[in-house]
Amino acid sequence: MALQAAYSLLPSTTASIYKEGRFSASLKETTLTSFSFSNNLRSDKISIKEQRRQNPRFSTGIRAQTVTATPPSNEASPEQKKTQRKGTAVITGASSGLGLATAKALADTGKWHVIMACRNFLKAEKAAKSVGMSKEDYTVMHLDLASLESVKQFVDNYRRTERPLDVLVCNAAVYQPTAKEPSFTAEGFELSVGTNHLGHFLLSRLLLDDLKKSDYPSKRMIIVGSITGNTNTLAGNVPPKANLGDLRGLASGLNGQNSSMIDGGEYDGAKAYKDSKVCNMLTMQELHRRYHEETGVTFASLYPGCIATTGLFREHVPLFRLLFPPFQKYITKGYVSEEEAGKRLAQVVSDPSLGKSGVYWSWNNNSSSFENQLSKEASDAEKAKKLWEVSEKLVGLA
Ligand code: NDP
Ligand code: PMR
């Protein structure tokens, strides 16, 4: 029933995707939060004492799914012991959803100071308080990614604080699936790509110098990606599919005069978001190729699971918002809670076992992390280079 209704919201081409096969059979990226037999089997291999040590809220059976194959991040590795000071992580869009949950997860370890880089200062302060973060674990700083001036101002302000920068998490995003007409950033770029990609592109390029200077043992830059930008998955084949084409729309300014879509096509808000996620994943790989060896910075992207309850879907029709969480929970089993997704992103920030650069992380049914494959387009090195060069021009770096 839930599926039928969600399903009916989609263009008819989607029908074949669902009718053709069982979801789980063809999935490359799945997450399970429901308790399953296989989780139970797996957890049997680890003693209950060990599970309690890894996860203080573990109770026999039911919470076994949160046990991960990777070492827990609160265990000091030789790498972490090199420094006594707290790490500082900047998280964009930390005022809700994944960003807030990650800020909370990092703050809870007592080892991180989180800079919540947000467009709505008051909302961010309230959000931090609402999840019980202590004042000394976070600082809210203003950043509006839909304005390149604001991005530059944020970088200046950050440098004035004289805090080191150890990790940058590019997390903020907007999604406008129901918009009939495009809207634009301060500099006149289509809003989804302008915010999710171009704002983060400038931010990451400017802050790379600051990351380089950090003496923290593991410096990281993370750009949040998604399954829906990857057409090698079932979710990525739900129309409209991501496709950057030859980037002609981006190259002509993405300002609505020629086109407001990267591929030069007609405006489609859902596609613009998915395209922006492809840009995020391509940018991470290009950063890795250009700077990993020289700087030692780890560059990574991830799909944290389907966090169907976040504000990302605020502009979707009410029926979608009602049915999407149960659809993901019970039908696709791709659902993950904000808390669990926050722990996943926090692993990518600080877990020594997730320190490899150039990786797109995902989590399997047991909540164990693994290096996932990107789609052909999202791993196209030539396209990544072209995207880099065009984006540099648009944000005024070239
Ligand atoms: P939310 O809407 O809850 O969070 C998005 C955050 O981005 C909010 O804090 C929002 O601020 C902020 N933001 C939006 N526009 C700007 C801007 N111009 N400047 C600064 N901040 C801005 O969504 P999610 O937590 O779901 O999304 C977080 C990330 O996770 C995104 O990159 C998304 O693509 C990714 N993702 C989400 C999935 C999901 O299922 N939800 C799945 C896969 C990836 P404000 O609070 O002021 O609105
Ligand atoms: Mg999708 C295993 C299958 C799976 C997963 C993991 C997701 C994740 N979705 C899956 C399948 C399907 N979805 C199917 C079969 C359908 C047709 C009924 C479907 C539909 C659908 C819609 C209409 N799904 C959506 C939408 C959105 O508007 C969301 C979107 O595309 O936002 C860009 C979305 C999502 N599905 C996901 C995830 C993670 C999203 C949120 C997208 C994101 O943040 O990238």
Side-chain angles (χ1 to χ4, degrees), residues 53 72 86 96 252 269 298 336 342 364 389:
R53 194 184 61 74
K86 272 187 172 185
S96 73
S252 68
T298 291
V336 67
N364 68 17
E389 289 164 358

Side-chain angles (χ1 to χ4, degrees), residues 93 95-98 119-120 123 143-146 171-174 195 224-226 273 277 303-307 310-314:
S95 51
S96 73
L98 178 60
R119 62 178 166 178
N120 184 334
K123 181 178 174 184
L143 168 66
D144 182 354
L145 287 156
N171 160 78
V174 285
T195 306
V224 179
S226 182
Y273 169 89
K277 290 285 113 184
Y303 167 58
C306 186
I307 331 159
T310 71
L312 194 68
F313 311 103
R314 66 188 96 177

Side-chain angles (χ1 to χ4, degrees), residues 3 6-11 14 17-18 23-24 27 29-31 175 177 225-229 234-236 238-240 270-271 273-274 277 303 305-308 312-313 316 320 324 327-328 331-335:
L3 171 63
Y7 180 54
S8 68
L9 294 173
L10 286 157
T14 314
I17 297 168
Y18 172 58
F23 294 122
S24 53
L27 290 185
E29 299 179 71
T30 58
T31 52
Y175 175 41
S226 182
I227 191 170
T228 53
L234 174 58
V238 173
K271 181 174 184 296
Y273 169 89
K274 294 174 190 180
K277 290 285 113 184
Y303 167 58
C306 186
I307 331 159
L312 194 68
F313 311 103
H316 226 310
F320 176 89
F324 192 53
F327 171 61
Q328 292 293 344
I331 312 290
T332 73
K333 310 257 200 262
Y335 174 85

Side-chain angles (χ1 to χ4, degrees), residues 45-103:
K45 292 182 191 150
I46 307 171
S47 74
I48 288 173
K49 197 172 155 202
E50 173 66 4
Q51 294 199 28
R52 285 221 175 85
R53 194 184 61 74
Q54 290 187 9
N55 177 1
R57 279 185 295 151
F58 167 78
S59 68
T60 322
I62 302 300
R63 295 210 44 101
Q65 75 276 12
T66 58
V67 176
T68 68
T70 50
S73 50
N74 58 359
E75 211 171 52
S77 69
E79 190 191 43
Q80 283 175 322
K81 279 178 188 155
K82 278 189 215 156
T83 184
Q84 291 297 308
R85 73 169 171 86
K86 272 187 172 185
T88 301
V90 169
I91 305 180
T92 68
S95 51
S96 73
L98 178 60
L100 179 62
T102 307

Side-chain angles (χ1 to χ4, degrees), residues 90-168:
V90 169
I91 305 180
T92 68
S95 51
S96 73
L98 178 60
L100 179 62
T102 307
K104 161 85 175 146
L106 290 173
D108 279 356
T109 65
K111 293 178 176 168
W112 290 90
H113 187 86
V114 181
I115 307 294
M116 301 171 71
C118 298
R119 62 178 166 178
N120 184 334
F121 198 93
L122 254 176
K123 181 178 174 184
E125 275 291 351
K126 278 190 188 153
K129 284 203 185 86
S130 75
V131 295
M133 288 168 68
S134 324
K135 260 284 171 216
E136 66 272 16
D137 291 335
Y138 73 92
T139 305
V140 177
M141 286 183 68
H142 186 261
L143 168 66
D144 182 354
L145 287 156
S147 155
L148 298 179
E149 272 317 304
S150 172
V151 172
K152 289 180 207 159
Q153 191 69 57
F154 173 83
V155 172
D156 281 352
N157 290 343
Y158 190 77
R159 287 177 182 158
R160 264 189 227 119
T161 67
E162 294 185 6
R163 272 186 186 279
L165 175 66
D166 307 316
V167 175
L168 170 64

